[in-house]
Amino acid sequence: MRSLAMKLAPGQDLRHVLEALALSHNVSGYVLGVVGNLSRAAFQCPGQSEPNVLEGDLEIITLQGHFSPDGAHLHLSLSDAACQVWGGHLEPGTLVLKGADLLLGLLDQPLPQAPSNLDLHQPTRVKPNSVEPVAAPRVEVAVLPGCPWCTRAIRILRSLDIAHALITVDSDETYNALHQRSAMTTFPQVFIDGSVIGGYDALAQLHADGSLDRLR
């Protein structure tokens, strides 16, 4: 395990930052420590159907859990201005107030539940003990760091064990190239056999009607 220190700026989404790190760099890890405050906290309590949302000057007490390209499972505890303590599963919409310092432990190997057969720059599946070339995946997904719908799209494909190439939009050049190819301005952008099919909603519909099974 190697350590990584991150400094978050005001307004950044605590959960989205960790999910974007995992997706854009294909890494898994754990939160080892945190110091900072929040202007808004969204957290899910056990047995509740909707997240709780607090706003104000909120102090982070603890943040524990793991993150990977498949998503994040994190527990947040915090104190409000009256020193009342709250906590639950960290949800999107948790925003940094003045700043937050994170200490992360990045794993040399993926978490056990995270597929390890994908590489951001080599989008082919390697079969153990095979010397025959493997065809490139039929599915390509362009994702924007910090985009929750991109995370959900990747989760669908990985839950079905569908090989796919991941394109991370990290520059204007990449964005412009994708726009020329798809004529879309939103993300994710999903391509099958080189043709754009749409975004998350289109992928979810294919999943719902069973059409994605033929791509395994």
Side-chain angles (χ1 to χ4, degrees), residues 90-144:
L90 177 67
E91 295 292 329
T94 298
L95 306 180
V96 174
L97 178 58
K98 296 179 181 178
D101 295 316
L102 292 175
L103 179 61
L104 309 178
L106 303 183
L107 301 178
D108 295 327
Q109 298 294 329
L111 293 170
Q113 69 271 27
S116 58
N117 60 345
L118 297 177
D119 187 281
L120 294 179
H121 305 292
Q122 300 293 332
T124 56
R125 177 172 296 181
V126 179
K127 297 180 179 179
N129 303 320
S130 173
V131 296
E132 297 181 1
V134 181
R138 298 174 58 187
V139 180
E140 300 170 82
V141 186
V143 299
L144 196 65

Side-chain angles (χ1 to χ4, degrees), residues 41-102:
F43 52 93
Q44 184 81 34
C45 294
Q48 301 297 316
S49 59
E50 296 293 335
N52 289 328
V53 177
L54 295 179
E55 295 185 348
D57 192 342
L58 310 170
E59 192 74 20
I60 302 172
I61 299 175
T62 63
L63 180 65
Q64 297 178 322
H66 61 76
F67 53 90
S68 76
D70 289 326
H73 185 181
L74 298 159
H75 291 180
L76 171 72
S77 67
L78 64 146
S79 173
D80 62 18
C83 288
Q84 185 173 1
V85 176
W86 303 79
H89 290 271
L90 177 67
E91 295 292 329
T94 298
L95 306 180
V96 174
L97 178 58
K98 296 179 181 178
D101 295 316
L102 292 175

